[in-house]
Amino acid sequence: MKKIKCLSFGIILILGLLSFTEVYNSGYQVGDEATDFKLKNVDGKMVSLSDFKSAKGFIVVFTCNHCPYAKKYEDRIIALDKMYKDKGYPVIAINPNDPAVQPQDGFAEMQTRAREKGFTFPYLVDEGQKIYPIYGATKTPHVYILKKEDGKNIVKYIGTIDNNYENPNDVSDYYVQDAVNQLLKNEPVKTEKTVAIGCTIKVKK
């Protein structure tokens, strides 16, 4: 009887670990080819990665209006775009939240926020929430650095922007900056993945 119980427990444990692994590994991993998309920008125009013919890659940031973490990072996201856009790595921001769940993340509110903050990059709405699950984003903000290789957008980094969301003056690890700088030098990214820190993406239940 004890053997049967132990065997049953072992099977349950293995199934649980497999389920956890499946969830944990959902979405892109470093080295995967990222899909392009066609999403509406705050100016009403549709934007795709393929529109950026001269880009060497992209800093794709899933972010939003209401999240306090996202707000803390807004100025740093603007700074990243100003720092790297002309070097070939523009920021592409995507709001993945359902406005029915979080009204502050509606399209009109996105337009207002982009105007107030002077966003220098596209701020796109993931209508129907079709893109963020493909990428595997779970937080706002959640960053995916892509590099163009042989006509494909290859994931080179996934995670957070740096190691201190509360105070930019106390940052000691600049994950996104370091990754892009290494890619610009044709060097491998030393830190390929970190844990994204932020609010959960708002989805209808």
Side-chain angles (χ1 to χ4, degrees), residues 144-155:
Y144 292 74
I145 297 177
L146 314 179
K147 181 184 179 183
K148 284 187 180 180
E149 293 182 349
D150 300 322
K152 300 176 181 179
N153 294 307
I154 306 300
V155 179

Side-chain angles (χ1 to χ4, degrees), residues 85-103:
K85 180 164 53 181
D86 291 341
K87 295 179 180 179
Y89 280 84
V91 165
I92 308 292
I94 302 174
N95 178 5
N97 286 340
D98 189 326
V101 179
Q102 180 46 261

Side-chain angles (χ1 to χ4, degrees), residues 90-163:
V91 165
I92 308 292
I94 302 174
N95 178 5
N97 286 340
D98 189 326
V101 179
Q102 180 46 261
Q104 293 179 54
D105 290 328
F107 186 68
E109 288 74 16
M110 288 174 60
Q111 291 177 310
T112 299
R113 191 66 180 172
R115 185 170 58 252
E116 289 175 347
K117 291 296 296 184
F119 285 174
T120 55
F121 45 80
Y123 187 24
L124 313 178
V125 57
D126 187 4
E127 288 184 305
Q129 298 186 301
K130 297 176 182 178
I131 299 302
Y132 91 80
I134 297 173
Y135 275 70
T138 60
K139 304 286 185 182
T140 53
H142 204 152
V143 181
Y144 292 74
I145 297 177
L146 314 179
K147 181 184 179 183
K148 284 187 180 180
E149 293 182 349
D150 300 322
K152 300 176 181 179
N153 294 307
I154 306 300
V155 179
K156 295 295 182 178
Y157 171 83
I158 303 171
T160 189
I161 292 170
D162 55 44
N163 70 338

Side-chain angles (χ1 to χ4, degrees), residues 38-53:
K38 194 170 186 178
L39 301 175
K40 186 166 67 173
N41 191 18
V42 287
D43 62 3
K45 297 178 181 178
M46 303 302 289
V47 173
S48 298
L49 298 179
S50 59
D51 296 334
F52 297 80
K53 305 298 183 186

